């Protein structure tokens, strides 16, 4: 199985790149942000609790998101070709748990691909997305909080994968077709 983590700040294009990889390589996309938003949309106590974190630009506690992710992985069909993890892991404990889990399944993570984009461009993309996304966290105040959270809590995840020798990166400051082509070059090295 080709299991890959897409890492990058909010607005780096993880969702867009995931769509491309799913289409071209038939991998399965797991976005923990999407899992959380679906739980929020379903309502209920857990949904309300999760909404409190995302609307403030804060991370959902590790224990909750790890449990949601593990259940989701266990529900995938046996013939899954590989998983693209989008938005997970976002903290060191999440990274350590994912490594443990996937190694125990005999389906280790092959690489973390870091999508690097400058701060001004991230903000520009997120504000643009906010005009149509309807997301409670695509506004300037929350975007700035999310970028701080990314720097403090998620950048160490990239460092962790560097130490494991599984780190790859692209600088995705171009157009979508250009950025997708850069991603494709990296994916080809993993096949
Ligand atoms: P995303 O769609 O990946 O931008 O995630 C939107 C929001 O969902 C984040 O700002 C967090 O509040 C929450 N979230 C998504 N993935 C995680 C995760 N792995 N750990 C904790 N919170 C998460």
């Amino acid at each position: 199985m080709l299991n890959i983590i897409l890492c990058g700040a909010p607005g780096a294009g993880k969702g867009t790149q995931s769509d491309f990889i799913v289409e071209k390589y038939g991998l399965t996309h797991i976005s923990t942000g999407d899992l959380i938003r679906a739980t929020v949309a379903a309502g209920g106590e857990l949904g309300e609790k999760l909404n409190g974190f995302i609307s403030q630009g804060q991370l959902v506690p590790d224990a909750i998101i790890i449990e949601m992710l593990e259940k989701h992985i266990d529900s995938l069909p046996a013939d899954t070709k590989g998983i693209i993890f989008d938005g997970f892991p976002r903290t060191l404990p999440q990274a350590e748990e994912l490594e443990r889990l996937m190694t125990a399944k005999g389906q280790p993570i092959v690489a973390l691909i870091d999508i690097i984009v400058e701060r001004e461009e991230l903000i520009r993309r997120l504000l643009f997305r906010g005009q149509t996304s309807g997301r409670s966290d695509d506004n300037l105040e929350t975007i700035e909080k999310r970028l701080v959270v990314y720097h403090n809590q998620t950048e160490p995840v990239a460092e962790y994968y560097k130490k494991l020798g599984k780190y790859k990166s692209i600088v995705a400051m171009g157009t979508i077709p250009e950025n997708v082509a850069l991603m494709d070059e990296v994916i080809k090295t993993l096949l």
Side-chain angles (χ1 to χ4, degrees):
M1 275 175 81
L2 187 64
N3 296 319
I4 300 167
I5 297 168
L6 291 192
C7 188
K14 299 185 293 295
T16 305
Q17 295 282 10
S18 296
D19 291 346
F20 157 75
I21 299 168
V22 167
E23 171 82 11
K24 177 151 183 189
Y25 294 99
L27 304 188
T28 299
H29 178 214
I30 299 182
S31 153
T32 43
D34 286 349
L35 291 181
I36 293 169
R37 282 184 290 276
T39 309
V40 171
E45 211 176 299
L46 178 61
E48 233 168 76
K49 187 171 172 189
L50 296 183
N51 192 37
F53 292 105
I54 62 174
S55 60
Q56 289 303 311
Q58 298 303 319
L59 296 183
V60 166
D62 287 336
I64 297 180
I65 194 69
I66 287 170
E67 193 189 333
M68 286 173 75
L69 180 87
E70 290 197 12
K71 272 195 194 145
H72 191 73
I73 292 176
D74 288 342
S75 75
L76 295 178
D79 62 352
T80 302
K81 283 189 186 169
I83 301 172
I84 313 164
F85 292 93
D86 161 1
F88 190 98
R90 260 191 164 86
T91 64
L92 268 185
Q94 290 180 19
E96 286 162 1
E97 181 57 20
L98 186 65
E99 277 301 298
R100 191 201 60 70
L101 177 75
M102 298 308 284
T103 305
K105 285 181 182 292
Q107 295 159 0
I109 301 290
V110 176
L112 173 145
I113 306 175
D114 197 2
I115 306 173
I116 299 169
V117 176
E118 284 171 15
R119 178 186 164 87
E120 286 66 32
E121 174 67 7
L122 294 169
I123 294 175
R124 193 191 65 76
R125 289 183 191 174
L126 290 168
L127 288 176
F128 181 70
R129 183 173 80 184
Q131 292 173 9
T132 52
S133 70
R135 280 179 53 161
S136 63
D137 55 353
D138 281 344
N139 59 78
L140 188 56
E141 193 189 341
T142 314
I143 289 167
E144 289 188 334
K145 284 190 200 158
R146 289 159 67 201
L147 292 176
V148 172
V149 166
Y150 182 78
H151 175 69
N152 292 339
Q153 295 186 256
T154 308
E155 280 179 6
V157 171
E159 292 304 314
Y160 173 80
Y161 279 91
K162 273 183 198 164
K163 286 195 194 119
L164 293 180
K166 297 183 187 180
Y167 177 87
K168 309 260 175 189
S169 66
I170 61 168
V171 177
M173 290 290 293
T175 61
I176 291 177
E178 286 167 349
N179 296 338
V180 158
L182 292 173
M183 178 62 71
D184 202 23
E185 289 305 307
V186 176
I187 303 270
K188 281 181 190 151
T189 68
L190 302 173
L191 297 175

